[in-house]
């Protein structure tokens, strides 16, 4: 089982969308996927269950139970719920998480590992994808400490290099506490190749970060929005769409990278 968190403090860069659609692609390859919605906005959960149902979930039926001392009796197994696809399960997140998403989480001592410990008893999944909020507070920090790998979705308009630098710093800090954490890659998202500015940004990103940038880039495409509105990952909703093909390509590239990393670790 490998756990990947999707992190960037930039809002709207496609973190939730990538988790949602990738889950479908992994499921189509026969993998059992657990999605963890570590964002108080609950976008990923709403993608599967709609906003009202997600907002009505009590704290103990969400990932917030990981952080809530008075819910220490609660185990993750009971909070994980099935989706319409047998291979995809979801540990939902909603507004209950907001109270725990405090800044400066590195001052919290062992509580920093609360999410990691909460997820530990879960078994029967090949991959866990953790969706993070658009900040580097406690939820994202806990996700880093719970993950084996990090993917940074990067929209090709994020010219504030400072933004990425802060994300890299957070990963480096997390590695001090959790040395096996690895950057799996930067993922170019929401790319519109018709725009020179997007193509230029993508080229620069690849020059600067070299092969840490995943070869597959996710385009801006209405198929992602339409299938999300129909609560279905794009590969399951319209498998022939370019968006679906590229999501499958991305899922394979991620699996290949994980296989290489595992091989490197075994021979080290
Ligand atoms: N590749 C894409 N093509 C078209 N629309 C997209 C794409 N990626 C994301 N979107 C849309 O853009 C919006 C923001 O995407 P998403 O919620 O995935 O971003 P996010 O990084 O999770 O945002 P936040 O930081 O608020 O959590 C959503 O409406 C989503 O459907
Ligand atoms: Mg999101």
């Amino acid at each position: 089982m490998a756990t990947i968190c999707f992190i960037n403090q930039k809002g709207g860069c496609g973190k939730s969308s990538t988790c949602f659609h990738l889950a479908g692609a992994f499921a189509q390859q026969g993998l059992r996927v657990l999605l963890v919605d570590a964002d108080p906005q609950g976008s990923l959960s709403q993608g599967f269950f709609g906003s009202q149902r997600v907002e009505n979930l009590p704290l103990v039926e969400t990932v917030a139970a990981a952080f809530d001392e008075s819910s220490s009796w609660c185990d993750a197994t009971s909070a994980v719920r099935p989706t319409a696809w047998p291979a995809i399960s979801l540990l939902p997140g909603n507004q209950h998480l907001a109270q725990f998403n405090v800044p400066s989480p590195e001052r919290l001592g062992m509580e920093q590992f609360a999410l990691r410990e909460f997820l530990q008893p879960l078994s029967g999944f090949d991959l866990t994808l953790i969706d993070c909020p658009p900040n580097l507070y406690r939820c994202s920090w806990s996700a880093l400490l719970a993950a084996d790998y990090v993917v940074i979705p990067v929209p090709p308009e994020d010219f504030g290099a400072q933004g990425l630098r802060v994300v890299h710093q957070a990963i480096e800090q997390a590695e001090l506490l959790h040395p096996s954490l690895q950057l799996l890659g930067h993922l170019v998202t929401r790319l519109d190749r018709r725009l020179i500015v997007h193509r230029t940004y993508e080229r620069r990103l690849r020059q600067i970060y070299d092969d840490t940038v995943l070869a597959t880039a996710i385009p801006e495409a209405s198929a992602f929005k339409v299938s999300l509105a129909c609560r279905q990952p794009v590969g399951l909703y319209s498998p022939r769409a370019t968006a679906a093909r590229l999501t499958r390509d991305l899922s394979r590239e991620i699996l290949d990278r994980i296989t290489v990393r595992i091989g490197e670790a075994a021979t080290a």
Side-chain angles (χ1 to χ4, degrees), residues 15-17 39 41 43-44 131-134:
K15 297 178 288 295
S16 306
S17 176
D39 183 353
Q41 297 180 98
S43 321
L44 181 60
D131 183 26
C132 296

Side-chain angles (χ1 to χ4, degrees), residues 10-18 39 41 43 131-134 190 218-222 224-225 228:
K10 177 144 183 89
C13 63
K15 297 178 288 295
S16 306
S17 176
T18 304
D39 183 353
Q41 297 180 98
S43 321
D131 183 26
C132 296
R190 312 202 64 173
I218 294 298
E220 181 77 14
S222 59
F224 288 115
K225 281 187 198 288
L228 177 63

Side-chain angles (χ1 to χ4, degrees), residues 53-266:
R53 211 172 137 198
V54 171
E55 280 163 19
N56 288 339
L57 288 173
L59 186 152
V60 290
E61 293 182 30
T62 72
V63 70
F67 303 104
D68 182 36
E69 274 177 29
S70 64
S71 305
S72 54
W73 53 270
C74 175
D75 72 296
T77 318
S78 59
V80 169
R81 46 186 60 225
T83 69
W85 295 276
I88 306 176
S89 301
L90 173 75
L91 179 52
N94 66 7
Q95 68 284 351
H96 291 301
L97 201 48
Q99 62 189 299
F100 305 106
N101 195 28
V102 294
S104 308
E106 61 286 347
R107 298 195 190 139
L108 285 171
M110 287 314 286
E111 285 175 51
Q112 295 172 82
F113 291 93
L115 181 61
R116 186 181 185 84
E117 279 168 22
F118 191 68
L119 299 181
Q120 214 109 60
L122 295 173
S123 59
F125 299 104
D126 301 302
L127 274 177
T128 299
L129 312 181
I130 310 179
D131 183 26
C132 296
N135 52 59
L136 298 171
Y137 298 167
R138 188 176 180 194
C139 288
S140 299
W141 181 250
S142 304
L144 284 173
L145 297 181
D148 305 302
Y149 303 102
V150 193
V151 170
I152 310 174
V154 188
E157 288 173 2
D158 183 13
F159 281 105
Q162 177 64 24
L164 268 187
R165 201 173 310 135
V166 174
V167 176
H168 292 148
Q169 278 167 359
I171 296 170
E172 281 161 21
Q173 271 184 297
E175 281 169 346
L176 297 176
L177 287 179
H178 174 28
S180 60
L181 179 68
Q182 294 184 45
L183 174 65
L184 200 63
H186 300 81
L187 169 65
V188 178
T189 51
R190 312 202 64 173
L191 176 67
D192 184 346
R193 285 198 200 277
R194 292 171 305 178
L195 302 178
I196 293 174
V197 67
H198 276 203
R199 296 201 305 269
T200 307
Y201 183 93
E202 185 191 14
R203 200 170 49 243
R204 272 178 48 193
L205 194 77
R206 292 189 187 284
Q207 277 166 357
I208 296 168
Y209 295 111
D210 201 17
D211 61 1
T212 71
V213 183
L214 288 143
T216 313
I218 294 298
E220 181 77 14
S222 59
F224 288 115
K225 281 187 198 288
V226 173
S227 62
L228 177 63
C230 297
R231 297 189 189 153
Q232 298 190 38
V234 68
L236 300 165
Y237 182 73
S238 49
R240 288 162 190 257
T242 304
R245 180 177 55 75
L246 288 169
T247 306
R248 282 193 295 275
D249 290 351
L250 176 63
S251 69
R252 291 195 197 98
E253 193 180 357
I254 286 176
L255 291 178
D256 286 349
R257 284 197 177 209
I258 290 176
T259 307
V260 169
R261 300 292 171 87
I262 290 172
E264 284 169 356

